[in-house]
Amino acid sequence: MTELLEFSEVVERFDPVLGIEVHVELGTKTKMFDGAPNAFGDEPNTLVTPTSLGMPGSLPVVNRTAVEYAIKIGLALNCSIAEMCRFARKNYFYPDLTKNYQTSQSDEPIAFDGWVDVELEDGTVVRVDIERAHMEEDAGKNSHVGGSGRIQGAEYSLVDYNRAGVPLVEIVTRPIPNTGGRAPEVAAAYVRTLRDIFRALQVSEARMERGNVRADINLSLRDTPESPLGTRTETKNVNSFTAIEQAVTYEMRRQGKVLSDGGTITQETRHFHDEDGSTSSGREKSDADDYRYFPEPDLVPVAPSREWVEDIRQSLPELPNVKRRRLQAEWEISNLELRDLVNAQALDIVEATVKAGATPAAARKWWTGVIARYCNEQGIELDQAPVTPADVAELDGLVQSGKLNDKLARQALDGTLAGEGTPTEVVAKRGLEIVSDDSALEKAVDDAMAANPDVVEKIRGGKVQAAGALVGAVMKTTRGQADAGKVREIIMSRFE
Amino acid sequence: MSELLTKTALQLADMMAAGEITSVELTRASLDRIKAHNPTINAFLHVDEEGALATAREVDEKRAAGENLGRLAGIPIAIKDNLVIRGMPTTCGSKMLEGWLPPYDATVITKIKNAGMPIVGKTNMDEFAMGSSTEFSAYGSTKNPWDTERIPGGSGGGSAAAVSAFMVPLALGSDTGGSIRQPGSVTGTVGVKPTYGAVSRYGLIAMASSLDQVGPVARTVADAAALQEVISGHDELDSTSLDVEVPAFEDIVAQVGADRVKGLKIGIVEQLSADGFEPGVEAEFEATVKRLEDAGAEVVNVSLPSFEYALSAYYLIMPAEVSSNMARFDGMRFGLRAEPETGPVTAERVMAESRGQGFGAEVKRRIILGTHVLSSGNYDAYYGAAQKVRTLVQRDLDEAFSKVDVLVTPTAPTTAFKFGEKIDDPMAMYLNDLATIPANLAGTPGLSVPCGLSEGMPVGFQILAPAYRDDLMYEVAAAVEASAGEIAGSCPAKEWENN
């Protein structure tokens, strides 16, 4: 591995300048420029038409829903929406690029000049300026067979064009300076903020692990914020929050080392490696890289009417940041407590649960605890969990009314997650209800005291805290269904 | 030759409607003539005898069953080889696409099929439609039926020759800088470039997308009008396709009387009537204008200064688009794939080798020119400046059409030249498109109609109309045709016919 400078030293000696390009795949029914289905996971080369295959004679037609989604994103990022914008051809060769040019937007993007506020874990807000958001099409996917799985040394390569032509919006930031030692955190928080916005807007499933959201990280170091910008590298296609944080950290430390040793940074694209969080040199990329952009002659300009844009603006949902602030005030809980609900989807579900009658604290606890862990294990999203906000509200109701204690509620929830029915049904089936019948408890306490004479001795000798062991014993014999408070009361009454 | 083949498409349609002939008879006559003379003329790259006869039989059966059929149902048609037909070889006159069978139909082909027109085959063309003589076809040049030592025009020489040699009554071509009109001019046929967007480009293998337009090739103005009616109309698969109602072109032409041009203002483009035009061409052009004047038209001189730069602008914009449109021909997915003889087989090297072997000289010339024109250091000076000229041409034409109804010019500066005469002189070849190019730059319609003979070779008369006024263009063309007499019909099938 390349030698790296300590992170603290990089921060001490340099001013990092960060720029991020985020690609998001839009969740439209069909592709950007043709009627092929926009779906994930089908057999290779089945979701194609002559146009998405770049067949001779085929022509593109702009997907109106993709334009609508791009406008939504632009508005959510406080951008101006172009009155007229054009597509351009970006000419370059790559085997998974069907036409050997990508239909994109160059100097006339659909949205430009915006900003978004990014909240860090400690509540610090960093405003990120957005230069532009433009529409383009995705490429297909190469897989290299034989050798290491990379193109070098492969026996042959296969190309799957199912993804070719999937609509993308690329969001480009202006440089995010003055991040000091927090560049890695800012980068991850920024992409997380965008991911939450995409989900709230329902323009994309925004699943990082599927590559629905990918970030290219531009990073350079300079001596002071007053110095001219340094040479940057672009780390391509980073697609998890951890990876983003690691990639920025690694590049800061690597560039820091090169510069402190008196070396120069090569302008290049770099690959990120999940295994060890490092980056390695990809293609050298000079500013002379010539894509020979020119207006796409096969497409007429896109001119979204002002009425349409206003309609879209009116229809925008409450954005995650705003919602978080509102709920924080309404529920009177701290920012720290809300911090778990970093993703917009969780926030929506918790809000729905509260609306269904749960307390904010309980709703938050169940969704970010047991249910989130379950989803993690199953590899599914929160909204795919086999439990609804109404179920969770019902569960909380059972706790509130004293029918369940925390431990029984957990068991009831496990039952619901296992498909045994609503919490009430699970309670009935498993006989989970709390035992508060006095005579039954009196008897259980007697049995426990008889079985634990040493503990009884200790309590008699003044060690009141030993009563806990008796409570535990009672809970055990009642399989957790006893009302723990009541048990303690009865025990204490025996020593009065 | 079968008597049938000398008739016009509309006459044949009438005969079929009256039950005097069948489509199978006509289609077989067409196929027989192609079989007999294509070895000499080389108008066809592929003939689909089975498919054409199957369509013909189907039409005959439907007609016998009393079904209501389209106006041109049963009339055989030839298709330029840059329009894709599902399952039929499509080469664009290039080695690059040899062996490729398109998996889909161009929209115009769907329309032709729906109209019940038997497709007899694909016609020869300059490689990827780049050229003015069909000498750049990878499959040998097409011969001009009027004189087999002469070029049939380009790039649509195959379609023009097929119609001119009575192999088919109708054909489709594509016109990027004059590739329907100039071949029409030198083979004595009617060639039409409709208003840009009037006919779908979906399935036309693009040469220069912003200039390309599919259009009819016929022996008479009325036949061309009827065919344009069949192929026109909005297409959701082509975003540049116009969403306007298709005029009843055939009826419009049918109603043209001798006095149709009376009171019309006809503009002669100063810049396109002087130097560089062959004396015989100029004489026939002037005689035609005189006849229009005699018929009551008001003839005025119009100056269109931007026309002087139109050719230069065209030869910057066209190759720029060509360089991008040709990029998909990379040996990866269809057509020719050539691997390097030595060294590693990488994607880049396969692409380079395939293109090296697959593309001919003119295509390579234009790719290199276009790449240069679009490169970042040259973009403004070349592409940017050319786009400005394009705007000026549009403006000049708009202004001219505010003063006159139509503009007229000779279609090409000369009659058909001899093979080899200009093949090594690209600039001389490019000059052939001088008069036809402005319409492509402006997106306006243009039509070439035979107006006379110069030393035994046909001369074309070009009519330019405002955008969306294809109807007016057809009317004037019908008047010109009436005054000149039928020229295409007189193609003196010479020595090749007796072979």
Side-chain angles (χ1 to χ4, degrees), chain B residues 49-285:
Chain B
E49 186 167 338
E50 243 174 73
L53 286 171
T55 306
R57 270 192 295 274
E58 204 180 309
V59 169
D60 287 340
E61 282 162 18
K62 282 183 179 169
R63 202 185 298 277
E67 264 186 58
N68 213 354
L69 297 167
R71 177 72 169 119
L72 294 177
I75 306 290
I77 187 167
I79 308 291
K80 189 175 179 180
D81 201 26
N82 56 355
L83 283 162
V84 304
I85 303 180
R86 189 185 172 99
M88 194 183 289
T90 295
T91 66
C92 264
S94 179
K95 291 285 177 204
M96 194 54 134
L97 276 176
E98 203 161 82
W100 183 56
L101 299 178
Y104 74 108
D105 281 332
T107 298
V108 286
I109 296 302
T110 306
K111 285 174 181 281
I112 292 290
K113 286 182 174 176
N114 290 342
M117 300 177 73
I119 295 170
V120 295
K122 306 296 292 287
T123 56
N124 202 2
M125 56 186 282
D126 282 301
E127 183 175 8
F128 285 104
M130 300 179 207
S132 304
S133 65
T134 318
E135 288 168 287
F136 290 121
S137 167
Y139 303 98
S141 174
T142 297
K143 307 292 184 285
N144 191 323
W146 290 69
D147 176 352
T148 52
E149 282 174 19
R150 292 175 190 270
I151 59 110
S155 61
S159 284
V163 171
S164 166
F166 303 102
M167 290 171 167
V168 275
L170 293 170
L172 284 185
S174 70
D175 189 313
T176 307
S179 292
I180 296 176
R181 290 163 289 162
Q182 180 257 7
S185 176
V186 300
T187 61
T189 51
V190 176
V192 188
K193 182 204 101 68
T195 296
Y196 184 77
V199 179
S200 170
R201 288 187 296 116
Y202 186 77
L204 169 69
I205 299 179
M207 171 184 160
S209 316
S210 74
L211 303 156
D212 293 344
Q213 188 59 174
V214 178
V217 178
R219 280 197 304 273
T220 67
V221 173
D223 280 4
L227 181 54
Q228 184 164 339
E229 235 180 287
V230 170
I231 59 173
S232 296
H234 180 61
D235 181 11
E236 284 182 357
L237 298 175
D238 175 358
S239 88
T240 60
S241 159
L242 298 173
D243 198 358
V244 293
E245 208 182 314
V246 179
F249 292 117
E250 192 204 328
D251 292 349
I252 290 166
V253 170
Q255 285 157 15
V256 173
D259 61 344
R260 176 55 188 103
V261 293
K262 200 170 185 177
L264 270 192
K265 274 193 178 170
I266 292 175
I268 294 175
V269 184
E270 259 173 41
Q271 285 76 8
L272 293 178
S273 55
D275 297 344
F277 288 84
E278 196 176 281
V281 168
E282 221 179 313
E284 284 307 314
F285 174 70

Side-chain angles (χ1 to χ4, degrees), chain A residues 127-328:
Chain A
R127 176 158 290 192
V128 174
D129 285 324
I130 307 292
E131 185 185 301
R132 52 189 283 161
H134 68 254
M135 294 178 276
E136 59 185 32
E137 56 179 340
D138 213 340
K141 202 176 163 207
N142 291 325
S143 45
H144 308 294
V145 182
S148 63
R150 293 210 166 247
I151 189 164
Q152 286 84 9
E155 265 176 66
Y156 57 91
S157 302
L158 299 171
V159 194
D160 175 9
Y161 292 106
N162 279 357
R163 203 180 63 188
V166 165
L168 293 178
V169 167
E170 179 177 346
I171 297 150
V172 183
T173 66
R174 294 224 160 78
I176 313 165
N178 301 320
T179 47
R182 308 191 75 171
E185 197 187 342
V186 170
Y190 166 69
V191 179
R192 197 192 287 271
T193 304
L194 289 195
R195 198 269 315 254
D196 291 351
I197 290 174
F198 301 147
R199 287 192 171 171
L201 296 174
Q202 298 187 321
V203 297
S204 171
E205 283 190 47
R207 295 178 64 169
M208 305 291 286
E209 77 283 3
R210 281 188 184 174
N212 290 158
V213 179
R214 315 190 283 269
D216 296 345
I217 292 159
N218 290 289
L219 190 104
S220 64
L221 298 181
R222 57 183 171 183
D223 292 333
T224 68
E226 287 72 40
S227 314
L229 290 173
T231 305
R232 69 188 159 84
T233 61
E234 184 180 10
T235 306
K236 303 286 280 183
N237 292 328
V238 190
N239 68 344
S240 80
F241 302 128
T242 320
I244 289 165
E245 208 158 337
Q246 285 176 332
V248 175
T249 309
Y250 187 90
E251 265 308 282
M252 282 173 70
R253 295 181 61 192
R254 187 189 69 83
Q255 291 187 17
K257 175 68 178 166
V258 173
L259 293 173
S260 337
D261 288 354
T264 50
I265 301 297
T266 313
Q267 185 166 337
E268 62 188 1
T269 61
R270 297 185 67 87
H271 301 301
F272 176 77
H273 306 288
D274 275 314
E275 313 85 71
D276 60 356
S278 69
T279 69
S280 67
S281 180
R283 179 167 57 100
E284 267 197 39
K285 191 180 183 184
S286 67
D287 274 333
D289 218 344
D290 192 349
Y291 291 118
R292 303 190 311 283
Y293 280 104
F294 74 102
E296 167 59 272
D298 284 329
L299 291 172
V300 290
V302 173
S305 75
R306 293 299 94 181
E307 297 76 36
W308 190 33
V309 173
E310 279 320 302
D311 283 352
I312 296 173
R313 194 194 300 277
Q314 297 307 320
S315 74
L316 288 185
E318 185 178 33
L319 294 177
N321 271 343
V322 177
K323 175 175 277 189
R324 198 170 299 152
R325 258 175 255 128
R326 175 174 63 77
L327 294 182
Q328 198 178 332

Side-chain angles (χ1 to χ4, degrees), chain A residues 350-363:
Chain A
V350 169
E351 192 188 12
T353 307
V354 173
K355 278 193 180 146
T359 64

Side-chain angles (χ1 to χ4, degrees), chain A residues 49-51 53-62 89 91 93-95 97-101 151 161 288-290 292-300, chain B residues 84 100 103-104 196 201-205 209-210 236-240 320-321 324-325 327-330 333-334 347-348 351 355 371 374-376 379 383:
Chain A
T49 65
T51 295
L53 285 175
M55 281 286 168
S58 62
L59 291 175
V61 176
V62 176
R89 290 191 187 174
N91 290 283
F93 170 72
Y94 213 67
L97 191 64
T98 57
K99 300 162 296 197
N100 286 331
Y101 57 80
I151 189 164
Y161 292 106
D289 218 344
D290 192 349
R292 303 190 311 283
Y293 280 104
F294 74 102
E296 167 59 272
D298 284 329
L299 291 172
V300 290
Chain B
V84 304
W100 183 56
Y104 74 108
Y196 184 77
R201 288 187 296 116
Y202 186 77
L204 169 69
I205 299 179
S209 316
S210 74
E236 284 182 357
L237 298 175
D238 175 358
S239 88
T240 60
E321 295 187 18
S324 176
N325 283 333
R328 72 186 65 195
F329 302 99
D330 57 9
R333 283 155 295 141
F334 41 77
E348 281 81 359
M351 175 178 73
R355 288 182 178 167
T371 305
L374 286 178
S375 59
S376 58
Y379 184 93
Y383 187 81

